[in-house]
Amino acid sequence: MSLLDIHVLGSPVLRQVTTPVETVTDELRQLIDDMFETMYAAEGIGLAAPQVGRTERIAVIDIREEGADPFVIINPEIIETEGTARAEEGCLSIPDVYGDVDRATLVVVRALDRDGKPFEIEAHDLLARCLQHEIDHLHGRLFIDYLGLLKRRAALKKWEKLRKDDQSVIRSITPKEVARHHHRDEEL
Ligand code: K1U
Ligand code: ZN
């Protein structure tokens, strides 16, 4: 498995609409494994293909809660929603920038699994939020798009300040992040 570089705000791939997967090949299964490894090293609860520079409609999710197993969604569609709640979100592609986003509290998502088999998942609360965040990535949308004008402006200002000394649109996971991730695994 390998760690993938993460694209950050400013990289055009984050704004692209992804392409549906026709066949889940071994090459795509390798990509999925690498995405899981990258998500864990970056300490995220989800990761979508555009964040690693890919245009396939694929995202991986692990909210690390008891009873919630990691899973991949391929060609996901939200087929039902219920309720709304506002909560703070961040994004591995806009590190250290946060904002409150209204999302459905319940979603039903239909997708393909890593063997290309269709499944449906009913998700609540954080898992529902994470699914919506990742599916947004697959449509070129970012959480900052939902912020009001002033909050969005403040978020972008913070982002510009943070990246003043590094304008690159791709970030590599640092050895420090990898070490922290391994250390946490050993503790568990
Ligand atoms: O796609 C990404 O950028 C990953 C992102 C997904 C996310 C889902 C739901 C709410 C916010 C963000 C993250 O993993 S951000 C970091 C994170 O680990 C986290 C976020 C919320 C609660 C717990 C952890
Ligand atoms: Zn994100």
Side-chain angles (χ1 to χ4, degrees):
M1 285 210 281
S2 2
L3 280 180
L4 306 169
D5 288 339
I6 296 185
H7 286 240
V8 299
L9 190 62
S11 172
V13 71
L14 291 176
R15 291 306 193 175
Q16 246 174 270
V17 174
T18 49
T19 310
V21 170
E22 285 191 4
T23 313
V24 187
T25 59
D26 286 344
E27 193 266 323
L28 287 183
R29 273 186 279 270
Q30 182 62 57
L31 169 67
I32 292 164
D33 292 343
D34 292 344
M35 285 173 64
F36 271 114
E37 191 182 4
T38 305
M39 176 188 76
Y40 290 127
E43 299 190 345
I45 56 170
L47 187 71
Q51 295 180 278
V52 294
R54 300 283 297 237
T55 54
E56 294 91 345
R57 198 158 296 168
I58 298 176
V60 296
I61 290 177
D62 184 355
I63 62 163
R64 329 272 166 84
E65 282 182 359
E66 219 181 293
D69 292 329
F71 61 101
V72 60
I73 46 173
I74 301 172
N75 303 343
E77 278 174 82
I78 298 177
I79 56 172
E80 222 178 292
T81 65
E82 225 177 86
T84 44
R86 181 169 297 187
E88 191 171 77
E89 289 190 19
C91 179
L92 297 177
S93 294
I94 323 176
D96 302 317
V97 174
Y98 304 92
D100 287 338
V101 181
D102 291 327
R103 300 273 192 195
T105 50
L106 176 150
V107 292
V108 179
V109 171
R110 184 179 294 151
L112 303 179
D113 67 13
R114 61 181 288 130
D115 299 314
K117 213 171 125 229
F119 71 99
E120 279 183 19
I121 181 165
E122 179 179 307
H124 303 255
D125 304 321
L126 181 59
L127 184 54
R129 181 170 293 275
C130 190
L131 278 161
Q132 291 167 86
H133 182 111
E134 300 313 327
I135 292 170
D136 269 351
H137 272 301
L138 302 179
H139 291 94
R141 291 190 292 262
L142 300 170
F143 82 88
I144 51 167
D145 302 344
Y146 295 105
L147 304 180
L149 191 65
L150 293 180
K151 290 205 169 137
R152 187 182 153 106
R153 215 179 263 166
L156 290 174
K157 202 167 161 190
K158 183 173 181 196
W159 173 246
E160 289 309 330
K161 201 168 159 193
L162 286 170
R163 63 192 239 112
K164 187 168 59 70
D165 300 321
D166 179 7
Q167 295 286 316
S168 96
V169 293
I170 296 177
R171 87 175 168 110
S172 301
I173 312 262
T174 61
K176 209 163 130 195
E177 284 171 289
V178 178
R180 199 169 54 208
H181 166 64
H182 286 307
H183 180 67
R184 265 188 34 177
D185 271 358
E186 278 158 19
E187 278 180 346
L188 293 173

